[in-house]
C-alpha cells in the first residue's frame, strides 16, 4: 500500500484495503495512516470521513500519529474546521500537528487564521523550518511583503533557525509579484548560499510579469550557467523577448535551446 502511494496509485491503496477486509485481516494504526495519506493525495474528503469513522470504531483516534495525519488530511482536503476540531480534541500536539493546521488555513488564503495559529503554536512549542515555509507562503499568496520580511528575520533572531533556499525562494516569489526587484537583487546577493535554478526561474517569471528585460537577461545568464542543458530558462527568456516585441532575440534564444539542451521540460 505504501509503494502504491509512492507511485501515485492511490486508488489501488483502497482496493488493497478492501481486499484485507474481505480476507478478515486485522488493520492496524499504520495501515490507517497510509489510507489517510492516500485520501490527502486524492483530496477525497468523503473517503477521509469514512476512514475517520473506521479509526474511531477501531479505537485509534487518540493515537498521536493518527491525530497528526487526520489533521493533515483534513487540511489538504480543504476541511479546515474538521482539522481544527480534531486538533482541539487532543492535547500535547507536536509541531507536525500545528503545521498541519497552519497549512490548512494557508491553503485557504486565510492569513488572519494563519497568524492566530502561529501565535498559539508559539505558546506551546518552538516553530520549525516547515512552520516558516507555510507562514511565508501564506504571506506570498496574500501579497504581504512587510509581514513576510518580518517572519523571515524572526527565524534566526528569535528562534535560532537558519533560512534555507526554500524560505528565500518564497520571499523572492513574494517580492517578485510586487515587482520589488531592488530588494530581490539585494536578497540574492546577501543570501548565505548560492541561488538554485528554482529561484532563478521564479525571478524570470517575475521579470516577465513586470517586463523587466534588463534584469531578465542577467537572471537568464545565471540560470544557464548553473544548468546549461535545462530547457526552461530558454523557454522563459524567449517568452519575455516575444512579449517585448523583440522577435529576433527570441529566435536567437530558441536556436540556443535547440542546440544546447539535452531535454525539454
Amino acid at each position: 500500500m505504501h509503494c502504491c502511494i509512492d507511485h501515485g496509485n492511490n486508488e489501488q491503496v483502497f482496493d488493497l484495503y478492501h481486499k484485507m477486509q474481505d480476507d478478515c485481516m486485522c488493520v492496524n494504526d499504520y495501515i490507517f495512516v497510509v489510507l489517510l495519506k492516500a485520501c490527502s493525495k486524492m483530496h477525497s474528503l468523503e473517503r477521509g470521513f469514512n476512514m475517520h469513522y473506521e479509526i474511531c470504531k477501531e479505537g485509534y483516534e487518540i493515537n498521536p500519529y493518527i491525530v497528526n495525519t487526520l489533521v493533515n488530511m483534513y487540511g489538504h482536503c480543504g476541511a479546515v474546521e474538521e482539522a481544527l476540531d480534531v486538533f482541539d480534541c487532543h492535547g500535547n500536539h507536536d509541531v507536525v500537528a500545528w503545521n498541519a493546521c497552519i497549512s490548512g488555513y494557508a491553503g485557504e488564503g486565510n492569513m488572519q487564521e494563519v497568524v492566530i495559529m502561529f501565535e498559539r503554536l508559539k505558546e506551546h512549542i518552538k516553530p520549525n523550518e516547515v512552520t516558516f515555509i507555510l507562514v511565508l507562503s501564506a504571506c506570498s499568496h496574500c501579497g504581504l511583503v512587510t509581514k513576510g520580511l518580518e517572519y523571515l528575520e524572526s527565524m534566526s533572531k528569535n528562534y535560532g533557525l537558519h533560512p534555507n533556499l526554500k524560505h528565500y525562494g518564497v520571499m523572492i516569489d513574494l517580492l517578485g509579484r510586487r515587482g520589488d526587484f531592488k530588494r530581490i537583487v539585494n536578497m540574492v546577493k546577501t543570501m548565505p548560499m548560492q541561488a538554485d535554478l528554482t529561484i532563478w526561474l521564479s525571478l524570470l517569471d517575475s521579470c516577465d510579469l513586470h517586463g523587466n528585460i534588463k534584469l531578465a537577461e542577467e537572471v537568464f545568464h545565471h540560470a544557464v550557467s548553473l544548468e546549461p542543458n535545462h530547457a526552461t530558462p530558454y523557454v522563459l527568456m524567449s517568452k519575455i523577448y516575444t512579449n517585448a516585441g523583440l522577435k529576433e532575440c527570441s529566435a536567437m534564444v530558441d536556436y540556443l535551446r535547440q542546440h544546447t539542451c539535452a531535454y525539454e521540460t
Side-chain angles (χ1 to χ4, degrees), residues 162-200:
H162 300 292
N164 58 36
L165 278 174
K166 289 185 178 180
H167 299 100
Y168 285 113
V170 174
M171 275 309 305
I172 287 170
D173 178 67
L174 169 54
L175 294 169
R177 291 168 187 247
R178 297 290 295 271
D180 194 342
F181 294 110
K182 184 177 180 179
R183 274 183 172 151
I184 290 175
V185 171
N186 182 62
M187 184 172 288
V188 171
K189 287 181 178 179
T190 57
M191 287 191 312
M193 71 285 290
Q194 294 294 318
D196 62 2
L197 184 63
T198 300
I199 287 181
W200 293 128

Side-chain angles (χ1 to χ4, degrees), residues 49-208:
F49 281 136
N50 291 337
M51 287 301 103
H52 194 173
Y53 171 77
E54 294 293 330
I55 286 166
C56 292
K57 190 171 71 172
E58 295 295 331
Y60 289 119
E61 71 275 11
I62 61 173
N63 182 307
Y65 197 26
I66 291 282
V67 171
N68 286 352
T69 314
L70 270 170
V71 173
N72 190 61
M73 181 275 295
Y74 279 129
H76 272 84
C77 292
V80 180
E81 290 186 9
E82 286 78 2
L84 197 59
D85 285 342
V86 174
F87 182 85
D88 286 336
C89 283
H90 304 278
N92 300 320
H93 300 297
D94 61 14
V95 71
V96 175
W98 285 100
N99 287 346
C101 277
I102 292 174
S103 176
Y105 284 119
E108 282 192 333
N110 191 337
M111 190 65 202
Q112 181 179 356
E113 291 297 335
V114 168
V115 173
I116 290 173
M117 286 301 297
F118 182 74
E119 293 301 318
R120 284 183 59 190
L121 179 155
K122 291 193 300 181
E123 295 174 0
H124 297 86
I125 199 169
K126 178 183 174 181
N128 64 8
E129 289 85 353
V130 175
T131 310
F132 281 98
I133 287 288
L134 296 169
V135 173
L136 289 172
S137 296
C139 290
S140 180
H141 289 308
C142 296
L144 302 176
V145 171
T146 303
K147 199 74 174 174
L149 290 170
E150 288 174 357
Y151 280 123
L152 185 69
E153 182 182 358
S154 73
M155 286 185 66
S156 54
K157 183 178 180 180
N158 300 330
Y159 303 103
L161 299 171
H162 300 292
N164 58 36
L165 278 174
K166 289 185 178 180
H167 299 100
Y168 285 113
V170 174
M171 275 309 305
I172 287 170
D173 178 67
L174 169 54
L175 294 169
R177 291 168 187 247
R178 297 290 295 271
D180 194 342
F181 294 110
K182 184 177 180 179
R183 274 183 172 151
I184 290 175
V185 171
N186 182 62
M187 184 172 288
V188 171
K189 287 181 178 179
T190 57
M191 287 191 312
M193 71 285 290
Q194 294 294 318
D196 62 2
L197 184 63
T198 300
I199 287 181
W200 293 128
L201 294 181
S202 173
L203 192 42
L204 271 177
D205 273 329
S206 299
C207 290
D208 180 29

